[in-house]
Amino acid sequence: MSEEAELTEEERQRKHLRLVGYGIAVSGLLTLLVASVSTRPYGILVWGLGGLAVAALVLEATQGGARGLSLGLLTGSFGVWIWPHLDGGSYYMLGVLLVAVGALNAALTPHFRRFGERLAER
């Protein structure tokens, strides 16, 4: 029996939410890496993170697992795409922001989900 089949629905959703956070954090780390080696990281990051998100989605779909990592990478790609339109500053700042948001998302979102369910029961 696979590990995914042994998980309860709540554990599966918690894993999914954590994977979204991990995907955002990975996109932040890749943004920092590309920004440190390239003078024009925009095209590399938008297409690279988008392609990586599609590849992760295909891998997740074939493995039948939680589909969170690809959503996080796609979120990071969207953040890179919109960053210059917001006059957000350097890509280093975006990378740090994505890593922080991804880490907070992975750590806190599952707890907020449980808290929301408890409030909904009242």
Side-chain angles (χ1 to χ4, degrees):
M1 207 176 224
S2 70
E3 177 185 330
E4 191 71 24
E6 294 175 3
L7 296 175
T8 66
E9 182 63 28
E10 182 179 339
E11 291 169 337
R12 191 174 299 120
Q13 289 178 358
R14 190 176 311 135
K15 180 181 177 184
H16 173 76
L17 291 171
R18 281 205 174 103
L19 284 173
V20 172
Y22 296 155
I24 295 171
V26 166
S27 67
L29 291 173
L30 291 174
T31 300
L32 287 171
L33 178 70
V34 171
S36 67
V37 296
S38 175
T39 57
R40 294 184 175 188
Y42 178 78
I44 298 169
L45 287 170
V46 168
W47 294 106
L49 289 175
L52 194 58
V54 170
L57 179 65
V58 169
L59 182 65
E60 288 171 345
T62 59
Q63 298 297 321
R67 289 178 177 86
L69 188 63
S70 59
L71 291 174
L73 290 169
L74 192 61
T75 302
S77 177
F78 178 74
V80 169
W81 174 73
I82 202 164
W83 191 250
H85 303 290
L86 298 175
D87 292 328
S90 73
Y91 283 95
Y92 290 110
M93 182 64 179
L94 175 63
V96 169
L97 185 67
L98 286 171
V99 169
V101 166
L104 284 172
N105 188 15
L108 298 178
T109 303
H111 302 293
F112 284 125
R113 183 184 169 280
R114 279 197 313 262
F115 179 69
E117 286 176 348
R118 277 190 256 142
L119 284 177
E121 290 174 357
R122 291 184 178 185

